[in-house]
Amino acid sequence: MAVSVLAYATANPGDTSDFERKLSRFDPRRIRRLAILGKTEGNADSNDFSRELALLATTRAIERIGGPALLARTTSLFSTGCEGAYTPFGYLFVDAEEARARRRRPGRPGSGLALGVGRSRSLKAREVGTVAHARIVADTVRKAMRDAGVKAAQVGLAIVKTPVMPHVAAVEEGKAEERRITSHDSKAVGGLGAGIALGEVSGRAVTPARIGADHSLHARRAMVFSGSEVDYVEVLLLGNKPGAGGGLAIHSTQIADVLDARSIKRLLVKAGLRLDRFGEVADSERVAAMLLKVGFAPDGRIRGRRTTILTSHIDHDKHLRAAASGILGSMLGTTEFFISADTIHQAPPGGGLCACIVRRRG
Amino acid sequence: MAVSVLAYATANPGDTSDFERKLSRFDPRRIRRLAILGKTEGNADSNDFSRELALLATTRAIERIGGPALLARTTSLFSTGCEGAYTPFGYLFVDAEEARARRRRPGRPGSGLALGVGRSRSLKAREVGTVAHARIVADTVRKAMRDAGVKAAQVGLAIVKTPVMPHVAAVEEGKAEERRITSHDSKAVGGLGAGIALGEVSGRAVTPARIGADHSLHARRAMVFSGSEVDYVEVLLLGNKPGAGGGLAIHSTQIADVLDARSIKRLLVKAGLRLDRFGEVADSERVAAMLLKVGFAPDGRIRGRRTTILTSHIDHDKHLRAAASGILGSMLGTTEFFISADTIHQAPPGGGLCACIVRRRG
Amino acid sequence: MAVSVLAYATANPGDTSDFERKLSRFDPRRIRRLAILGKTEGNADSNDFSRELALLATTRAIERIGGPALLARTTSLFSTGCEGAYTPFGYLFVDAEEARARRRRPGRPGSGLALGVGRSRSLKAREVGTVAHARIVADTVRKAMRDAGVKAAQVGLAIVKTPVMPHVAAVEEGKAEERRITSHDSKAVGGLGAGIALGEVSGRAVTPARIGADHSLHARRAMVFSGSEVDYVEVLLLGNKPGAGGGLAIHSTQIADVLDARSIKRLLVKAGLRLDRFGEVADSERVAAMLLKVGFAPDGRIRGRRTTILTSHIDHDKHLRAAASGILGSMLGTTEFFISADTIHQAPPGGGLCACIVRRRG
Amino acid sequence: MAVSVLAYATANPGDTSDFERKLSRFDPRRIRRLAILGKTEGNADSNDFSRELALLATTRAIERIGGPALLARTTSLFSTGCEGAYTPFGYLFVDAEEARARRRRPGRPGSGLALGVGRSRSLKAREVGTVAHARIVADTVRKAMRDAGVKAAQVGLAIVKTPVMPHVAAVEEGKAEERRITSHDSKAVGGLGAGIALGEVSGRAVTPARIGADHSLHARRAMVFSGSEVDYVEVLLLGNKPGAGGGLAIHSTQIADVLDARSIKRLLVKAGLRLDRFGEVADSERVAAMLLKVGFAPDGRIRGRRTTILTSHIDHDKHLRAAASGILGSMLGTTEFFISADTIHQAPPGGGLCACIVRRRG
């Protein structure tokens, strides 16, 4: 088994032509796990249906190629919002039995990229945003660790999708008067839950009063997404597994703020990449995947100065994704990377995290 | 005479408290020229009135401090659109007789920053966007060069404001059926006109057919802005004048695309600044002003890849400004710089330009 | 054969549960033609994918219910933009052989609602917006008239979908420099072409110079839509056919401007409905479908007064749809009707048109 | 003394030319009270500065015409958001000593329009949104009643402006962690406070738990606005005063929802206007001012149907204002009226209120 990571292009959220091309390189029967992390280009507001379109189109494509059996082994996560110098596209993760020619030679030890997934039961609207929800996230991350065959210390990144019950549904369930769970709240418990499973947050510390309030509690290797199209928690986990093949490794780090290019560069250097004298990555073709999640301080300031992040007609996350795209783009010389925002309980306020999957040299 | 450059903070577009504080360091009677280049934080759409508010508030403040006489020696240019990791603020340029203590010692030769301004007559709606408009821009840039006392080769940057006649006015003049002059069209002739004056564009080459069409024609040291609040051309010009004092110098360069951080870093190195091993500016406190103008290729692609710059509910310029803010911000460690978009006839398609004013060492 | 018109509710653009419920009332084998006119709730900007989602989801539902054979007899048109007091939903038109019990009694003569459809060949990007495109529209409307079995004078409404070639595609075909065909341009030839077929526009009058310029040329019973998801012209035509059953009739009228509620009320009265003393429709339950298309004058004024229709961050069509929703809503006591904007060559500048399908009394 | 109501046109929020023209009809020394209720056309988001521009420009105009003395007798309230079939403009209320010729003849008894104003002390950030704030509103409304010389029963409309402390200011005061007072919260206490003064809400009923929660508590004749440009409560009150001159009367009513045109028409009929057979106002030239405030139900539904009011990239209030503009516009045949949204504690959920000032016949 070895995990391959391929980027596929899209002409629009419903376009699966390159996805199908890339997927057809693999024999569907040899695929243990298929995972998709896609970025779509909708308006990233409540009337954005680009994720739903991408999911429906990709589902149909997988069915065509591998039937319901392959679909059942697939985990898909689409994130919308593609502002700045940024390309809508997708990463395809394929955990497959290696074809003979590609199998690693005995003389090549070391660890390789491992992939694991997990899915929880359906949540009830009243559970979303609670301590119980956080525990469900923790359990689902642990399930994905077992699936990947890695321990907490070997995890590079846990990608978590948690549900948001839409307003109307909540009203119908008669809960709207009590509390309104936002996408932000759902991500909060997602971060805490992942942190518990990864050993970064004490399970005991996660109490109702501290959810969304005590920002000293946070995971360090989790990126959390939310969506109203799921009512369950879903995890896509990436780690470095001793003895695994594939020639890829994942590295991750926390960053201090959206402008903290230095921490990202340190991560890349640690991953074995080389910076030129302008601080740009000289061998960026070795980067198989680049993922960044950025946040903002409660007062909206950056490096002590006022910004419009919180005082604009444009949602704060769009400001952040676009600014970050310039940073990654000028560092890597491309616009193909994955950027997302809202790092609640995934980093200290204003901070974020970055993960890269890098091909081994030679 | 010596030109000082000061950044002033704003709490909102109508706030002039820091502006007044900074301006009050100077004796109004000793000020030859006052120039303001401000960035406001409106929505940068046609219903954004933040520039008008800033202009009205600043005008009142100048009147209070220096009366109508100082106001008559003032040139103000406000640009809106402050997306990403970016701070609304203003640069205050003061060309004033130096107080005795500050006067340069005889042993300190070399050139210093010079400032010049120019203003044209009022244009008619039907002139806007024509070759005649380009010539008026060229004449106004030349006037500003004379005012600054610099030759074309000594110009670091010509900042040009050209009028846009609003749609309704054009309709009333009975011109709407014929052609609709946009902000983009007005900037086009602004770029060409400035290029003529700076010796970068041949006056003969500027024909109706090539305006907005032949993008091989472009200025190299001009940033052009447009606004419906003016019906004249206004120029604020900065250059390096032999023998001038003040300890400041301006440098500028063209950049290839919005991700071309390398050209900006080369400019900063040429200006005497130092990069650390991550490519960040080690002595950024010496940067008195940083100005960037970025464009996009006609197909909206960057480095060969699809972006959402042209296919989003968010105007293309906002994508660019925000992405560029991340680049400058991570390079300089601040969010206080001036970024604008639309480089038509100011750079090749997709390109841009950058100017920095740097304080001499020690 | 008789045409039924049913409104179906949607919880989101991808929801087909009520659609399937309504469709399942019919035996798929007895359905001659199925037509869908849906309104989705995306942001109605270039990054709105709600129509594509609705189309894909509805296609799957029809396949499930009636297989590829029913899908081949189906015409779908989704329009996005649902601002104001307005409900996203769809109209389902079913032209089916009547079940015995429902067949009209011999003693009930008169005309009934008839439905016809037509589809053209694929257009090339360079054809879009030309006279040839207008002729293709005219031919397709005629085809739909034949399919419905009605003459031009019996047509109540021709709903036309015409293609827009997206910018990027046009650039790749090397046409972008020459001219940029917008959705507006495509609708212009759609209106003219429909007008030719309906005898409202002289075919000879449609010349390149008059397209989009001579607004005295316009259809009177055509609503034109455009979309980048089609490269062909598609027509859904409704008329009153002598001897047809079903108990429905279609009526249409032109309106003078977005506030012209009076013309709409006159139409409803002519269709046999009753107004109370406040001018509201007393028997609005007899309205099976209500369709409105509204435009704006070139100067953006209404009744001589300035508006923000052309000078706002919100697209003009959104202002119009929302304002019109208040008018129809207060008149009919519901928010379920179909409103669209842009009436180029479908009405004089600033005007629009309204069509209603009304159930016969008793 | 008699109150005149004049509408003045604006070319943009900073344009005061028609305002000055209309104001110059009065002798400044004879003006007891000047009040302005203006509608500006910014984007109505947090980066909209159109109100600030209008206020600054109008202030300068009043100073020019009547000096600081007239300015001290002036109350200005600008509201932004002008979507749909709607004109940005202003109402000028002038309470002035009547010129001899215009004085009412002794034989003409009855009541006339009266105007009163009130202003509170500055509020502290921590007071905003509290019961204390509501009491300050009540006191300020009572002050305005005394100024107008009317009793609670004679009040037609109390227009209340209450402060919102901007987020950044609250953070600086160290309150951001505790609670975030929104514009909506500030309006809530504004409505309750006005209701107390007008005898529509029991002062005892206004407790922290019921603010923003118990929507059975609401004023019936108050329109509340909020703004971050004020830190005090300001009231502009209109009533019918026995024996007053001027030939104007104010009438107001609650409406059930945004589509409730019927209640508005009933109000107009009660005010002496005439409806034609289409339910349109036949003598709308007698309407001196028309003010409407509309709300939405917590589930965003209208007449039982789903809308996009709460699930759109466009703020709910914009949907409502635009829809309402179509209703008033088609009823009155003009686009010049005042519409605002958010009726929290000013009407039951989803409801609103309407006030008209009508000229007496003859």
Side-chain angles (χ1 to χ4, degrees), chain C residues 59-137:
Chain C
T59 296
R60 281 165 66 100
I62 295 169
E63 280 178 336
R64 273 195 299 273
I65 290 172
L70 181 59
L71 191 62
R73 299 196 300 276
T74 301
T75 300
S76 297
L77 193 154
F78 289 96
S79 162
T80 190
C82 199
E83 303 84 5
Y86 193 7
T87 297
F89 81 108
Y91 283 128
L92 178 63
F93 299 88
V94 188
D95 187 2
E97 207 181 320
E98 293 175 276
R100 203 152 312 178
R102 280 175 157 188
R103 288 198 195 150
R104 65 197 175 283
R105 288 152 296 167
R108 224 171 129 203
S111 62
L113 188 67
L115 166 71
V117 302
R119 179 184 289 198
S120 78
R121 65 163 169 83
S122 292
L123 273 76
K124 299 206 183 339
R126 68 172 177 273
E127 285 180 314
V128 177
T130 65
V131 172
H133 184 172
R135 280 192 202 125
I136 289 168
V137 171

Side-chain angles (χ1 to χ4, degrees), chain A residues 87 262 265 276 278 306, chain B residues 87 262 265 276 278 306:
Chain A
T87 297
R262 183 174 299 232
K265 289 175 181 174
D276 68 14
F278 293 106
R306 187 165 81 91
Chain B
T87 297
R262 184 174 297 232
K265 289 175 181 173
D276 67 14
F278 294 105
R306 187 164 81 90

Side-chain angles (χ1 to χ4, degrees), chain A residues 10-11 41 43 82 84 86-88 262 265 276 278-280 305-308 313 319 322-323 326-327 330 334-336, chain B residues 10-11 41 43 82 84 86-88 262 265 276 278-280 305-308 313 319 322-323 326-327 334-336:
Chain A
T10 59
E41 70 252 49
N43 70 332
C82 200
Y86 194 7
T87 297
R262 183 174 299 232
K265 289 175 181 174
D276 68 14
F278 293 106
E280 297 177 14
R305 288 193 197 278
R306 187 165 81 91
T307 72
T308 65
H313 66 296
H319 287 277
I327 295 174
S330 60
T334 182
T335 58
E336 197 180 79
Chain B
T10 60
E41 70 254 47
N43 69 333
C82 199
Y86 193 6
T87 297
R262 184 174 297 232
K265 289 175 181 173
D276 67 14
F278 294 105
E280 296 176 14
R305 289 193 198 277
R306 187 164 81 90
T307 72
T308 65
H313 66 296
H319 288 278
I327 295 174
T334 181
T335 59
E336 196 180 80

